[in-house]
Amino acid sequence: MTSAELRAEVEDFLYREARFADEFLLEEWEALLTDDFHYWVPAGRLEGDPSKQLAYLNDNRARVATRIRQLQTGKRLSQLPNSPMRRVISNIEIESTDDEEALVKANFVIYELAAQSSGELRVWPGQAQYRLERVEGNLRMSAKWIELVTAHAGQRNLTFLI
Amino acid sequence: MKVDYRELVHTDRVHGSLLHDPEIFADEMERIFVQGWVFVGHESEVKNDGDWVKRQLGNESVIMVRAENGEVNVLANRCSHRGTALCWEHKGNTAFFQCTYHNWRFGLDGGLRAVPFPDGYSKPKEDLGLDRAGQIASYRGFVFVNLDGSAGWIDEHLGPAGYELIDRLCEMSPSGTIDLSKGWIGHRVQSNWKLWPESDSDGYHVGFVHASMSASTDTYYDDVAVGADAVKSSRAVDYGRGHLELDWRPSYKKELSWLGVTRERVKEYYSALAQRVGNDLAEQMLWDGPPHAFLFPNLFLGETVIAIVEPVAPGEMIHHHTSVQFDGADEAFNERLLRQTEAAVGPASFITTDDAITAERIQAGVSGTDTSWSSTSRGWIDLSRGLHREEIDEDGVRSSDASDETTNRGFWYRYLDAMTGKGRH
Ligand code: FES
Ligand SMILES: [Fe+2]
């Protein structure tokens, strides 16, 4: 596979993953994950051992399943109704790669409307780091790590898929 | 206009304006956060000489620092020359604080050490140190301050219950000491700060606000706070002085329910604990778990989580939390506490996110209430649940079913005392 082909495939994946998250297509989003998926939003930089730190979010595969189940109960107050939201992804860098695994960095900005309470428009800027693996021919996500620009500053409710 | 708090706080109801009026907020910052005792931090956050952390106490920014003599000082984060804030990071280590405006340099005790071109001053240096907390007290590492020094002594503030609740938590550590140095995570909420003492100690809402948690995961809250049996067996307790507990102990159906594991999984912790306190006590602790309690005005002992309530504005606050770590427990056990904390509390958690949204909805609801206080028929918040069946023991401790508003009322009794100066010296 040429690097241009791989880049096109990675970009397709990232945009699809972003749209599933924005639109609360939870099953579709979950289907993009490998069995050992790790989801991490630290309260600082993406460095050090996640297991030794206290993070905003640090989900292994089982916990991310719980997160999705909770959203699917129809009783998740902080997402009733779901936040209208859209994210923009750019500055995509594919760091090291063979055809089986790609480490990808991208900048993002999410615009989220707190439709459940104050109606505030919330802006979430940061960098996402993805580890993508090829499973039976298709790309899957085995890690998504998020470094928020506001990581040290505390956060509003973060109950959507970031 | 001077607010008459007796008109706004009654035994069975409080007025909605208490949650959004700017004049009331300003009074609170002075009477509760300057004139009263507040929690500022834990000694484990400043282990070494020169370690400091920055904290916001109401309107005041302060620095908690360990000085060369090992003592913990709480200093105003404000240069005594022309008021420039000294610290911008959240924490650090330093031999002195130096202002960036005219380079005045202060020691870790707040004393002025050096000024450039000193011949311009005839005042003695001793008069130009940083403002220091008027009173400071530390108990098992929990540091409390009274900024203006006018509150009574700390024993009067904490009372026997305050000490007992802190003891109950710390005693569960194999070493008897806890560590709170994993960092504080801020949850920014568009609500009044007083909705958090309420939420953190409210036993009525759990089955409703947190229904999505019960429906998606196995949670011990089902045993202690959801459903008619649970809210009867657990207790809402008002110890007086604004110190409150939701006592889950009578409701736990198995040991270690509060940690969601069997003893097999935490063998090392258990044997380390039993070594210090003996098997009988250790067994009991495994059943009882750490307390779920609120100490007036800003400290939440949330089982394996500690939280600080920080007011920002009438409709804006930050709920900061960290994970309790037991000194002397094995690494795997303490990591379990970190993971439990991440699941339960904070902006992306499964539980307090729904409390946050509830607080924001309350804020939206009460923000329209009258602040001219001309009408007593509108804008009240009812807190009468369980008044007729509340029990009072010989020490004045009130308790009732966990779903009763005994804890909520307890907060407001203490609040009224603070706002009217009752019990002050
Ligand atoms: S304001 Fe700090 S040295 Fe002048
Ligand atoms: Fe709650």
Side-chain angles (χ1 to χ4, degrees), chain A residues 52 78 117-118 155 157-158, chain B residues 188 190 331 335 347 354 360:
Chain A
K52 310 275 186 239
S78 49
S117 61
S118 68
Q155 308 301 327
N157 258 6
L158 200 178
Chain B
R188 294 180 170 272
Q190 293 177 284
E331 220 170 306
E335 281 182 26
D354 290 329
E360 291 184 348

Side-chain angles (χ1 to χ4, degrees), chain A residues 49-61:
Chain A
D49 179 351
S51 66
K52 310 275 186 239
Q53 305 173 25
L54 183 65
Y56 292 116
L57 184 157
N58 180 358
D59 290 1
N60 60 15
R61 185 65 185 82

Side-chain angles (χ1 to χ4, degrees), chain B residues 79-84 86 99-104 106:
Chain B
C79 180
S80 52
H81 180 214
R82 291 207 217 137
T84 312
L86 298 166
C99 179
T100 52
Y101 196 178
H102 311 96
N103 280 18
W104 283 26
F106 303 90

Side-chain angles (χ1 to χ4, degrees), chain B residues 150-404:
Chain B
S150 76
W153 57 320
I154 186 70
D155 288 13
E156 276 168 43
H157 169 69
L158 285 178
Y163 288 116
E164 191 275 327
L165 290 162
I166 292 173
D167 285 342
R168 214 194 301 161
L169 168 65
C170 296
E171 282 299 311
M172 294 194 67
S173 168
S175 61
T177 64
I178 63 166
D179 185 287
L180 298 185
S181 65
K182 285 291 180 185
W184 297 88
I185 288 196
H187 191 176
R188 294 180 170 272
V189 185
Q190 293 177 284
S191 83
N192 188 267
W193 67 278
K194 298 189 294 303
L195 290 172
W196 286 84
E198 171 171 314
S199 165
D200 287 338
S201 64
D202 182 83
Y204 194 12
H205 75 283
V206 181
F208 317 114
V209 167
H210 303 300
S212 69
M213 179 186 58
S214 297
S216 56
T217 162
D218 242 342
T219 163
Y220 63 95
Y221 282 106
D222 286 346
D223 287 343
V224 301
V226 176
D229 291 343
V231 298
K232 269 226 164 310
S233 54
S234 294
R235 306 293 289 168
V237 185
D238 163 19
Y239 292 106
R241 302 173 166 87
H243 307 325
L244 318 163
E245 181 178 12
L246 289 176
D247 190 353
W248 307 135
R249 288 175 292 183
S251 300
Y252 284 132
K253 294 200 167 66
K254 52 180 194 276
E255 65 174 22
L256 284 160
S257 185
W258 51 275
L259 196 57
V261 293
T262 59
R263 194 187 305 189
E264 191 53 27
R265 306 285 294 276
V266 294
K267 277 196 296 240
E268 256 185 82
Y269 161 69
Y270 176 77
S271 60
L273 178 64
Q275 209 158 39
R276 186 175 65 83
V277 303
N279 276 310
D280 289 353
L281 252 181
E283 297 254 352
Q284 190 61 47
M285 288 177 183
L286 253 48
W287 271 91
D288 289 350
H292 185 112
F294 197 91
L295 302 190
F296 189 90
N298 66 338
L299 174 61
F300 178 41
L301 307 177
E303 301 168 40
T304 56
V305 173
I306 303 293
I308 307 176
V309 172
E310 179 186 317
V312 175
E316 185 72 43
M317 61 79 61
I318 310 175
H319 197 255
H320 300 273
H321 75 271
T322 193
S323 177
V324 172
Q325 300 280 283
F326 289 154
D327 288 328
D330 56 288
E331 220 170 306
F333 183 87
N334 278 329
E335 281 182 26
R336 186 180 289 282
L337 296 181
L338 289 172
R339 302 291 86 79
Q340 168 138 326
T341 300
E342 285 159 347
V345 184
S349 67
F350 299 139
I351 303 184
T352 60
T353 39
D354 290 329
D355 295 310
I357 222 69
T358 302
E360 291 184 348
R361 288 177 182 179
I362 296 168
Q363 197 67 31
V366 300
S367 286
T369 54
D370 193 6
T371 55
S372 68
W373 305 297
S374 54
S375 158
T376 51
S377 64
R378 293 169 57 78
W380 290 95
I381 291 167
D382 189 84
L383 290 174
S384 66
R385 187 177 165 82
L387 254 179
H388 63 288
R389 59 182 175 191
E390 192 168 270
E391 293 162 18
I392 308 184
D393 74 8
E394 60 278 12
D395 298 321
V397 175
R398 294 164 198 266
S399 63
S400 200
D401 293 9
S403 68
D404 286 346

Side-chain angles (χ1 to χ4, degrees), chain B residues 394-420:
Chain B
E394 60 278 12
D395 298 321
V397 175
R398 294 164 198 266
S399 63
S400 200
D401 293 9
S403 68
D404 286 346
E405 283 157 346
T406 299
T407 41
N408 311 59
R409 287 189 291 273
F411 175 84
W412 289 103
Y413 294 147
R414 177 69 184 84
Y415 176 88
L416 185 58
D417 284 351
M419 298 307 284
T420 55

